[in-house]
Amino acid sequence: MWFKPWALWVDETVNEALPTSAPITEAVVPTAPGATPPTPTPVGPTAVAEGVFISHEHDTSGTAKVVRLADGTHTLRIEGLDTSNGPDLRVVLSDAAVVEGKAGWHVFDDGRHVTLAQLKGNKGDQNYALPADVDWSQYASVSIWCDRFDVSFGAAALTRV
């Protein structure tokens, strides 16, 4: 596949809603005889980690969130993404720290990392399911990674919330 420089100026916008699953309710604790039992409350999507993208090779902005869904699965949610389009862009979870400037451009595939998927679009809101065998808490960052040129377009440090 040849690099197509004109593709840098063609935007692909994705606007996915946050995924939902069948609501799970909290366990009901037994109550004393005659007492009114508590009403179970649905447990919905909850952000468990988040970060703000910084620019690396290309201007990049937006937020990344790890969201626990009601069924206990996790999704990486990217919101308000705005970056350049490029060849072979991937979404990568990495154990690398996010560093500003050129020192942070090439580190996200050096240590432990997981490529979640090809980037769906360079603008908008999008979701990437985290595989059940991936312990997201072992990864410090997410990068919009150009696999063709081994460079980060932008990255976000993930902080637990």
Side-chain angles (χ1 to χ4, degrees):
M1 170 191 222
W2 293 96
F3 176 57
K4 301 171 187 170
W6 59 88
L8 292 172
W9 291 278
V10 176
D11 291 327
E12 292 183 36
T13 302
V14 174
N15 287 309
E16 295 180 327
L18 180 64
T20 58
S21 56
I24 296 174
T25 55
E26 294 177 2
V28 177
V29 178
T31 57
T36 304
T39 304
T41 55
V43 178
T46 305
V48 293
E50 60 186 33
V52 176
F53 280 97
I54 66 164
S55 299
H56 279 146
E57 173 71 22
H58 292 266
D59 287 339
T60 301
S61 60
T63 59
K65 297 178 182 179
V66 176
V67 178
R68 184 180 62 241
L69 302 178
D71 64 3
T73 62
H74 290 86
T75 293
L76 177 70
R77 169 95 173 147
I78 298 176
E79 294 180 335
L81 179 65
D82 188 357
T83 191
S84 300
N85 208 341
D88 207 14
L89 294 181
R90 307 289 174 167
V91 179
V92 173
L93 282 179
S94 174
D95 64 354
V98 175
V99 177
E100 292 189 43
K102 284 191 173 188
W105 289 14
H106 302 281
V107 301
F108 296 98
D109 67 344
D110 290 347
R112 188 174 27 166
H113 63 281
V114 174
T115 300
L116 296 178
Q118 190 166 9
L119 186 70
K120 296 174 184 177
N122 63 305
K123 296 190 179 299
D125 304 331
Q126 43 208 281
N127 306 301
Y128 299 90
L130 298 181
D133 62 345
V134 171
D135 180 359
W136 65 268
S137 67
Q138 299 299 306
Y139 299 93
S141 57
V142 59
S143 171
I144 305 303
W145 182 255
C146 179
D147 208 35
R148 181 166 177 92
F149 293 105
D150 291 329
V151 67
S152 173
F153 275 31
L158 294 173
T159 305
R160 288 182 181 238
V161 292

